Amino acid sequence: MSRFITLSHGNGGKHMRLLIEEIFAKHLSNDLLDTNCDAALLPELNKRLMMTVDSFTVQPLFFPGGDIGSLCIHGTVNDLAVSGAIAKFISLSAIIEEGLAFDMLDAIVKNMAQAANACGVSIVCGDTKVVPRGQGSEVYFTTTGIGYQSSLVNYSASLVKPGDKILVSGTVGDHGAAIMLSREQFGLSGNIQSDNASVLPVCQSVYGLEGIRFMRDPTRGGIASVMHEISQSTGHGIQLNELDVPVLDEVRTICDMLGYEPYYMANEGCVVAIVDAAIAEDVLHLWRNEHNARYASIVGEVTDRHNQVVIKTAIGGERMLPELVDEPLPRIC
Amino acid sequence: MSRFITLSHGNGGKHMRLLIEEIFAKHLSNDLLDTNCDAALLPELNKRLMMTVDSFTVQPLFFPGGDIGSLCIHGTVNDLAVSGAIAKFISLSAIIEEGLAFDMLDAIVKNMAQAANACGVSIVCGDTKVVPRGQGSEVYFTTTGIGYQSSLVNYSASLVKPGDKILVSGTVGDHGAAIMLSREQFGLSGNIQSDNASVLPVCQSVYGLEGIRFMRDPTRGGIASVMHEISQSTGHGIQLNELDVPVLDEVRTICDMLGYEPYYMANEGCVVAIVDAAIAEDVLHLWRNEHNARYASIVGEVTDRHNQVVIKTAIGGERMLPELVDEPLPRIC
């Protein structure tokens, strides 16, 4: 018989205890997670710690290439990885809408546990809230990650200089396109998979290299938004080369049909790096040896054209790539 | 002119950047918060670190005695304080419903900043998501706190023994009663204020004492639920004395009218401690010198009656205090 989350699963009493035991503690159990304590004691690391947070509101909860459970873990691991840090501890909060099926939550938390194990992170503390029907949407998760920073890295947008090269580690827009396709209202179908994955191996492969200025995972807003962030914080210009940006044919087709550009579409397993031109080929070589980065490409460079973000088109022209303003694609991650 | 949150404030582009600059960065600015990075580098502490997480879904957002902004900070500081740790760094995530007024969000984040300053904590990283109208409710926040544990403490439910005394630091049920009253549908009004406050000073006043077994802040489910947690994890019994549990007259009246017991109602600025009987009077004395704990009381003791949680009534009888099952009071915190 199917069971569903009720408001009493959030009241601090018996049902909440059983929910935590039967789903969260069952899948996420580890030495540090103590569901009877308000706070978890972390082992001593003697390292430089970094902290990051993300909420996950993706809809649908399961999509080609992943689900919200694995996405929570990868998103958190990735934010630390591009900052030069290896995720170790995660806090997890769930805001559950009344009426969610136990089986669905169980499947999600199971996938979350698998992703956490694969990434070598422990979920050390958690919280659950239940909100009345119509005041949420199935489930929202928030994860905060703590990791230790590699002593080899020193990344900052302020290091970026004109002449630096821009690389992406994989095809762009895959996650956004997969989510759009999996939403029934578009009436389309296809084989596009989200790139949902840890990028830690891709990042770690270049931690030891001198000349990496900055890395970022292009989630909401895509690589175009990362380019604007860099341009705004440094004052420099950016030039991408359309012919060099790897985009899957299926992704380009769906974007053309729906009127989106792939450069604004989310990835969830891709890295953008800005590096000294002298090491660009080395990074490319290292990345292409990584399973997740076989389509890595040098896609453009930093210019001295103040705050101009442009793309050189396939036919040799050039056009502005404006900052994303109004196209909202809600609940993409 | 009033401005409202739209879906484009969550798309990773220009509007999201402005939302973060105009509200979050404006109020929460500090040396560690860098809104251009995916992760914050924490200063080296060389201390035992503790981590805690809570989501806040309270409705209404502003209530007598506080608001969701200050509640986020106090809730996180308190979870660490009762664990023997002093909060230092907080991550903040906001899941905002389309249509929320900018002014409302601004007022909340301002109160959050004031509470954080007063508590000596820094918000070091954040995330914002916008969900479509009807898929959230105004705003939900999630905060994860990192603190360092005092070397003086060693608290655990496993240290609790029959004969230990149970103390509360203040009147019970104030927050729950204030929230209930402030919900219009009850058609009642009164002067009850939430006890929403940091309990760090109250906890710190006894960190140096030997014989503190366990502390907890009784939020959802109230002191009755903390008693059940202790009883379940130790196998011991609990006896509370009704005449000794401090309850404000107004809180008792509203509970009687609505059919609730104050022992199941949330506090947000109160501590329950279980201590060696030999130091109970010392704790009481120390607490009563604290502004927040002038109504501190010894309210009962741990017994050897296996898993029985009972309350001695005002007329000398005894009754079970059952584990909270079905009374859901959603979105109390």
Side-chain angles (χ1 to χ4, degrees):
Chain A
M1 204 184 78
S2 286
R3 291 165 65 201
F4 299 92
I5 300 287
T6 66
L7 289 176
S8 71
H9 287 104
N11 70 1
K14 181 174 178 177
H15 289 160
M16 190 170 99
R17 176 170 60 80
L18 294 176
L19 168 69
I20 292 170
E21 286 172 7
E22 290 180 18
I23 294 188
F24 291 97
K26 182 179 79 177
H27 291 301
L28 302 175
S29 168
N30 65 67
D31 289 349
L32 297 171
L33 178 67
D34 179 347
T35 55
N36 293 318
C37 269
D38 269 351
L41 182 64
L42 306 181
E44 286 185 60
L45 291 170
N46 285 323
K47 304 264 191 180
R48 295 193 299 180
L49 296 183
M50 300 199 81
M51 186 172 189
T52 188
V53 61
D54 259 320
S55 286
F56 296 86
T57 64
V58 67
Q59 189 66 5
L61 299 178
F62 292 82
F63 47 82
D67 72 294
I68 192 172
S70 55
L71 191 65
C72 281
I73 302 299
H74 295 148
T76 302
V77 167
N78 292 355
D79 279 351
L80 289 166
V82 295
S83 305
I86 296 160
K88 298 303 286 181
F89 311 113
I90 288 181
S91 74
L92 172 70
S93 147
I95 297 177
I96 309 169
E97 187 188 16
E98 178 188 15
L100 182 70
F102 256 66
D103 289 351
M104 174 90 78
L105 187 61
D106 187 74
I108 291 166
V109 178
K110 187 177 172 194
N111 289 341
M112 189 182 289
Q114 279 178 351
N117 285 340
C119 293
V121 298
S122 303
I123 290 167
V124 296
C125 53
D127 184 51
T128 57
K129 292 284 187 299
V130 179
V131 295
R133 210 181 287 266
Q135 297 181 15
S137 175
E138 298 193 311
V139 63
Y140 298 137
F141 290 104
T142 301
T143 45
T144 289
I146 297 284
Y148 55 82
Q149 196 182 40
S150 164
S151 59
L152 300 170
V153 309
N154 177 27
Y155 302 154
S156 166
S158 65
L159 301 172
V160 170
K161 296 184 187 67
D164 286 348
K165 295 291 184 189
I166 301 163
L167 291 95
V168 298
S169 68
T171 51
V172 311
D174 299 17
H175 178 75
I179 295 296
M180 285 203 307
L181 262 181
S182 63
R183 289 188 185 160
E184 293 167 302
Q185 64 261 37
F186 286 111
L188 298 166
S189 68
N191 294 318
I192 303 172
Q193 299 259 316
S194 166
D195 55 327
N196 170 40
S198 164
V199 297
L200 180 60
V202 173
C203 294
Q204 273 187 304
S205 71
V206 298
Y207 280 171
L209 279 189
E210 285 229 8
I212 306 276
R213 317 286 197 209
F214 178 84
M215 293 202 288
R216 176 62 62 95
D217 57 329
T219 57
R220 271 181 297 179
I223 61 166
S225 296
V226 176
M227 296 301 110
H228 275 278
E229 265 187 71
I230 292 291
S231 173
Q232 280 163 17
S233 68
T234 63
H236 303 317
I238 299 285
Q239 183 191 293
L240 298 181
N241 301 311
E242 194 159 43
L243 283 177
D244 297 329
V245 180
V247 182
L248 291 174
D249 288 344
E250 301 91 319
V251 171
R252 201 177 285 283
T253 303
I254 187 80
C255 283
D256 285 347
M257 288 177 69
L258 297 173
Y260 289 99
E261 286 208 88
Y263 317 116
Y264 295 91
M265 306 275 291
N267 282 88
E268 290 290 346
C270 180
V271 181
V272 174
I274 300 186
V275 310
D276 187 334
I279 66 159
E281 290 290 336
D282 297 338
V283 173
L284 194 65
H285 180 74
L286 287 165
W287 276 6
R288 286 191 172 168
N289 284 331
E290 294 289 329
H291 168 70
N292 263 358
R294 56 194 181 281
Y295 301 118
S297 303
I298 299 172
V299 298
E301 63 181 27
V302 179
T303 69
D304 56 8
R305 292 159 64 186
H306 184 67
N307 281 359
Q308 288 194 27
V309 178
V310 301
I311 188 160
K312 219 171 125 187
T313 63
I315 56 170
E318 194 181 271
R319 62 183 169 91
M320 303 294 289
L321 212 50
E323 187 176 9
L324 181 64
V325 179
D326 271 331
E327 293 88 1
L329 202 59
R331 305 189 56 188
I332 205 76
C333 59
Chain B
M1 204 185 77
S2 286
R3 292 166 63 204
F4 299 92
I5 300 288
T6 66
L7 288 177
S8 71
H9 287 104
N11 71 0
K14 182 175 179 176
H15 290 160
M16 191 171 98
R17 177 170 59 80
L18 294 176
L19 168 69
I20 291 170
E21 286 173 7
E22 290 180 18
I23 294 188
F24 291 98
K26 183 179 80 177
H27 291 300
L28 302 176
S29 169
N30 65 66
D31 288 350
L32 297 172
L33 179 67
D34 179 347
T35 55
N36 293 319
C37 269
D38 269 352
L41 183 63
L42 305 181
E44 286 184 61
L45 291 170
N46 286 323
K47 305 265 191 180
R48 294 194 298 181
L49 297 183
M50 299 198 82
M51 186 173 191
T52 188
V53 60
D54 259 320
S55 286
F56 296 87
T57 64
V58 67
Q59 190 65 7
L61 299 178
F62 292 83
F63 47 81
D67 72 294
I68 193 172
S70 55
L71 192 65
C72 281
I73 302 298
H74 295 148
T76 302
V77 167
N78 292 354
D79 278 351
L80 289 166
V82 296
S83 305
I86 296 161
K88 298 302 286 181
F89 311 114
I90 288 181
S91 73
L92 172 69
S93 146
I95 297 177
I96 308 170
E97 188 188 15
E98 178 188 15
L100 182 69
F102 256 66
D103 290 350
M104 174 89 78
L105 187 60
D106 187 74
I108 291 166
V109 178
K110 187 176 172 194
N111 289 340
M112 191 182 287
Q114 280 179 350
N117 284 339
C119 293
V121 298
S122 302
I123 290 167
V124 297
C125 54
D127 184 50
T128 58
K129 291 285 185 301
V130 179
V131 294
R133 213 180 286 266
Q135 297 182 17
S137 174
E138 298 192 311
V139 62
Y140 298 136
F141 290 104
T142 301
T143 46
T144 289
I146 296 284
Y148 54 82
Q149 195 182 41
S150 165
S151 58
L152 299 169
V153 309
N154 177 26
Y155 302 154
S156 166
S158 65
L159 302 172
V160 170
K161 295 186 188 68
D164 286 348
K165 294 292 184 187
I166 301 162
L167 291 95
V168 298
S169 69
T171 51
V172 310
D174 299 18
H175 178 75
I179 295 297
M180 284 205 305
L181 264 179
S182 64
R183 289 188 185 161
E184 294 167 302
Q185 64 262 39
F186 286 112
L188 298 165
S189 67
N191 294 317
I192 303 172
Q193 300 260 316
S194 166
D195 55 326
N196 170 40
S198 164
V199 298
L200 179 60
V202 172
C203 293
Q204 273 188 303
S205 71
V206 299
Y207 280 173
L209 280 188
E210 285 229 8
I212 308 275
R213 317 286 196 209
F214 179 85
M215 294 203 287
R216 175 62 62 95
D217 58 328
T219 57
R220 272 180 296 179
I223 60 165
S225 295
V226 176
M227 296 300 109
H228 274 279
E229 265 187 71
I230 292 291
S231 173
Q232 280 162 18
S233 68
T234 63
H236 303 316
I238 300 284
Q239 183 191 294
L240 298 180
N241 301 311
E242 193 158 43
L243 284 176
D244 297 328
V245 180
V247 183
L248 291 174
D249 287 344
E250 300 91 320
V251 171
R252 201 176 284 283
T253 302
I254 188 77
C255 283
D256 285 348
M257 287 176 68
L258 297 174
Y260 289 100
E261 284 207 89
Y263 317 117
Y264 295 91
M265 307 276 291
N267 282 87
E268 289 290 347
C270 180
V271 182
V272 174
I274 300 186
V275 309
D276 186 333
I279 65 160
E281 290 290 336
D282 298 338
V283 172
L284 194 64
H285 180 73
L286 287 164
W287 276 6
R288 285 191 173 169
N289 284 331
E290 294 289 329
H291 168 71
N292 264 359
R294 54 193 181 283
Y295 301 117
S297 304
I298 300 171
V299 297
E301 63 181 26
V302 179
T303 69
D304 56 8
R305 292 158 63 186
H306 183 67
N307 280 359
Q308 288 197 27
V309 178
V310 300
I311 188 160
K312 219 171 124 185
T313 63
I315 53 168
E318 195 181 90
R319 64 186 169 87
M320 303 295 288
L321 212 52
E323 187 176 11
L324 181 63
V325 180
D326 272 330
E327 293 88 0
L329 203 59
R331 303 188 58 186
I332 206 76
C333 59

